Amino acid sequence: MLALRVEPGFTKCLAMELDSDSVSALGKRAAAFGDRALVLRGDCNLDLVGAMENHLPKTAPVFALLDPEGTELHWRTVEAVARFRRGPRKTELLILLATSFLDRMLPLNAEVEDRNVDALNRVFPTPAWQGIRERKRAHEITSEQGREAQMESYAAWLRNELGYEFVRTRPVSRSGSSASVYHLIFASDHEAGERIMDYVFRTMHPNEPNLRLPGLLD
Ligand SMILES: C[S@@+](CC[C@H](N)C(=O)[O-])C[C@H]1O[C@@H](n2cnc3c(N)ncnc32)[C@H](O)[C@@H]1O
């Protein structure tokens, strides 16, 4: 809804969500925006890039917000969304990763469950998490440093594997705590994107990252 209401406006907003009730609720709210809004039910790892191919021009600037709850967002999807755009600049990405899942999935005093290994290997392109877990087990780094190290790896993959020019990460914590729960990750090939997100990441309140743009949520 923020993307639909912001001005200057996006030409087209494509939203994809797995849960049918959420699709129907968002579809009703977005109906007033006519064919600028397209709300689709789908699995982002299977259906998103196909939907982009069908509904978005490949040569226009594209901004993708990827907002998983846990480990649903596969690296292959990030890679395919990034490469969707034709021309010198890739899709701009803003990813909100709930990095607290790393501690839950990687116990230090027990074996890591196979399903968690599989899930992490879908979210990240290399098993860097193994080395980070080992350093935590050896008390070389704290959990917070472990999450930071994982995000540094993610940023490095965006830069080196996908070739993004500007990549920024920003921890987000819960109110009353300094421990990070989420990390925002931004990637762009445009200097304006870097400038805007530098400002946002610098000035946003760490516990209240949503910019309440006046009038937008009335
Ligand atoms: C953190 S919420 C996103 C909320 C939304 N961005 C918002 O601001 O209201 C994550 C959403 O991802 C959906 N989801 C989970 N797995 C998905 C998948 N594979 N494809 C598409 N959506 C998925 C969940 O149903 C959930 O609504």
Side-chain angles (χ1 to χ4, degrees):
M1 295 307 290
L2 285 169
L4 281 166
R5 289 176 185 162
V6 77
E7 287 183 10
F10 288 99
T11 313
K12 187 119 194 161
C13 291
L14 186 161
M16 181 166 282
E17 161 64 54
L18 198 55
D19 175 69
S20 314
D21 290 343
S22 301
V23 171
S24 133
L26 182 58
K28 282 185 196 137
R29 292 176 72 187
F33 294 90
D35 60 9
R36 270 187 66 221
L38 184 63
V39 181
L40 300 176
R41 181 173 179 275
D43 179 332
C44 69
N45 294 307
L46 301 174
D47 308 315
L48 180 58
V49 175
M52 290 169 75
E53 307 261 357
N54 288 339
H55 300 288
L56 305 180
K58 278 177 156 297
T59 48
V62 183
F63 176 90
L65 168 68
L66 302 168
D67 185 12
E69 268 162 340
T71 55
E72 302 94 346
L73 178 62
H74 302 172
W75 174 257
R76 278 194 181 176
T77 302
V78 175
E79 198 170 24
V81 169
R83 296 195 168 133
F84 162 76
R85 210 181 145 196
R86 291 285 166 265
R89 294 195 181 113
K90 294 174 286 304
T91 304
E92 275 192 319
L93 302 176
L94 183 62
I95 305 173
L96 182 58
L97 267 193
T99 33
S100 43
F101 69 72
L102 287 168
D103 292 334
R104 285 201 305 277
M105 295 175 78
L106 296 172
L108 297 182
N109 300 317
E111 287 287 301
V112 181
E113 290 179 34
D114 286 349
R115 66 194 171 110
N116 288 346
V117 172
D118 292 344
L120 290 170
N121 286 341
R122 285 190 291 265
V123 175
F124 302 123
T126 73
W129 54 268
Q130 286 176 350
I132 294 170
R133 176 168 177 261
E134 286 314 310
R135 287 164 64 201
K136 275 169 55 182
R137 273 159 66 93
H139 302 290
E140 289 170 20
I141 55 171
T142 62
S143 291
E144 188 64 48
Q145 288 166 329
R147 288 192 287 276
E148 279 303 311
Q150 189 64 58
M151 283 306 95
E152 277 165 29
S153 299
Y154 208 92
W157 294 318
L158 288 165
R159 271 189 210 100
N160 305 331
E161 306 280 318
L162 302 190
Y164 278 100
E165 211 164 318
F166 308 109
V167 180
R168 297 283 182 276
T169 65
R170 172 74 157 82
V172 181
S173 50
R174 279 199 210 294
S175 202
S177 159
S178 59
S180 65
V181 189
Y182 301 97
H183 278 77
L184 276 164
I185 307 148
F186 175 69
S188 174
D189 290 322
H190 201 297
E191 166 283 323
E194 180 195 38
R195 196 162 17 90
I196 293 166
M197 275 304 172
D198 264 351
Y199 172 78
V200 173
F201 282 7
R202 209 174 46 247
T203 53
M204 73 187 210
H205 190 287
N207 298 325
E208 291 172 30
N210 288 331
L211 284 180
R212 308 285 294 194
L213 301 180
L216 280 182
L217 293 176
D218 297 347

